[in-house]
Amino acid sequence: MDMDAFFAAVEERRRPELRGKPVVIGGSGDPTQRGVVSTASYEARKYGIHSAMPLQTAYKLCPHAVFLPVDYDEYSRVSSVIKEALREISPVMEDVGIDEAFLDISDIQKSSELIALEIKEKIRARTGLTCSVGIASNKLLAKIASDLQKPDGLTILSDADVEKLIWPLPVRKLWGVGPKTEGHLRKMKITTIGDLAKIPLEGLIEHFGTSYGNYLFEASHGIDKAPLVTHWEPKSASRETTFQTDTDDWQVIARCLAGLVRDVVDDIREKGYRGKQITVKIRFSDFETHTRATTLKEPTDNLELIRKAAFFCLGKFEMKKKVRLVGVRAGLSKG
Ligand code: TTP
Ligand code: MG
C-alpha cells in the first residue's frame, strides 16, 4: 500500500479550496527561497514538478501553483491512523515509510481483490485519502504493482504477469537499481527489466559481483525471497538544515547546531532510546561535504553531553569556506 501524493493529499483534505489546483509541498513553502520539493499533487506533476526538485525550479515551471511548507507532525499523525487501519486487516505488517507498508495477507480467507478493496475503503473512511494497492507473491512485485495504476490504483499481479507487465518497465523500477547501475546497464544496451532478464546469471556476476549480480538476476525474473520485517529498531536519529544564505559566521552555525541537537535529543527521548555515536555533517558552499564523529563513553539521552559531543565534532572541521548545510546524527541503542 502506498498513499497517493501523500503530503499534498493531506493538505488538500484539510483545505478543500486547494482541490484541483497544482499543489507543491516543500521546505518553508516559499518557492523563492532555498529548499526542495517534498511532493507535488498530480495536478502539479503535469507541469513537470517532482520530488527532490529545487523549489525555485518548480516555481519557474508553475508560478501559479500553491506552495506550502512541510508539516511533518500532521503527516506523521495521519500516517499512524493509516498504519493502525492496516494492522487491523493483517497484524503481519512491515512499516516501510511515512506513506507505505507491506501486509502479509496469505492467511486471510478472502479473495485478494476483496482485501485490497477493504484496505482502500478503510483508509478512505478514516482519513479521506486515496491510496494505491499492489498485490503479488512477494514484496518486490507488490511494490512495483502498487505503482502501476496510480493514483487510487488496485493492481493484482500473478507470477505469470511478470513477462507481460514487468519486463517492459525501465530497470530503475527495481529496488536497489540507482542512477549508477542504470548508467552501467545502459552502456550494456540494457534499459528494460526484460533486457536484464535475458542476461545469463554468469554475465551479471561478472559485471556486478556475486551478491549484486545474483540480486539483479532474481529481481529481473520477479523473484524475491525477503520476508516481511514486522519490527525494527531505529538505528539513528538525525536532523539537518540548509541555510538561506551560505555563512561563515560561527555564531550562526553554532546556534543552528544547538537547535538541531535539541531536536535530535527530543526525538530519541520520545522513542526511549539513547545516543552513542554522534556525527556532525557540514556541506560547504561548493557542495563539498564532510562529517566528523565521536563516540560517547556510554549511551545517553542527556542534552548537555550530546551537545558537548556535537560541538567537539564541530571543532574538528576546518572552516575554510562558507557553510551551506549543517546536520547532526546520533547512532542509537535501546534504553
Ligand atoms: P512517495 O510515496 O514517493 O510519493 P507521493 O506519495 O507523494 O506520491 P505517489 O502518489 O507517487 O506515491 O513519498 C511519500 C511522501 O514522502 C511524499 O508525499 C513526500 C515525501 N517525500 C519527500 O519528502 N521527498 C522525496 O524525495 C520523496 C520521493 C518523498
Ligand atoms: Mg506515495
Side-chain angles (χ1 to χ4, degrees), residues 1-7 39 42 45 99-100 147 150:
M1 187 292 311
D2 186 298
M3 299 299 296
D4 302 322
F6 185 51
F7 294 5
T39 197
Y42 280 81
R45 291 182 198 190
D99 86 326
E100 210 180 316
D147 203 41
K150 264 185 170 294

Side-chain angles (χ1 to χ4, degrees), residues 89-94 102-108 115 228 230:
I89 288 172
S90 168
V92 188
M93 183 186 89
E94 177 173 342
F102 290 106
L103 283 189
D104 184 341
I105 56 168
S106 39
D107 285 339
I108 303 177
I115 300 168
L228 268 69
T230 50

Side-chain angles (χ1 to χ4, degrees), residues 268 273-278 295-302 305-306 331-335:
I268 65 180
Y273 284 85
R274 286 163 194 276
K276 183 137 202 271
Q277 170 128 40
I278 308 300
T295 303
L296 295 160
K297 279 202 203 75
E298 50 195 54
T300 181
D301 63 358
N302 180 295
L305 290 176
I306 294 178
L332 302 182
S333 61
K334 186 84 185 170

Side-chain angles (χ1 to χ4, degrees), residues 87-145:
R87 275 203 188 85
E88 289 171 12
I89 288 172
S90 168
V92 188
M93 183 186 89
E94 177 173 342
D95 189 340
V96 186
I98 191 155
D99 86 326
E100 210 180 316
F102 290 106
L103 283 189
D104 184 341
I105 56 168
S106 39
D107 285 339
I108 303 177
Q109 305 301 324
K110 282 182 209 162
S111 76
S112 302
E113 188 175 4
L114 267 181
I115 300 168
L117 290 171
E118 199 183 318
I119 290 171
K120 290 168 73 78
E121 177 49 30
K122 234 182 181 147
I123 290 177
R124 205 197 49 74
R126 301 218 184 144
T127 66
L129 302 176
T130 65
C131 64
S132 294
V133 171
I135 298 194
S137 57
N138 62 50
K139 293 199 287 183
L140 173 87
L141 292 177
K143 163 94 183 163
I144 297 176

Side-chain angles (χ1 to χ4, degrees), residues 55-68:
L55 278 172
Q56 291 167 351
T57 310
Y59 187 57
K60 277 184 207 132
L61 288 170
C62 184
H64 69 276
V66 180
F67 288 85
L68 295 171

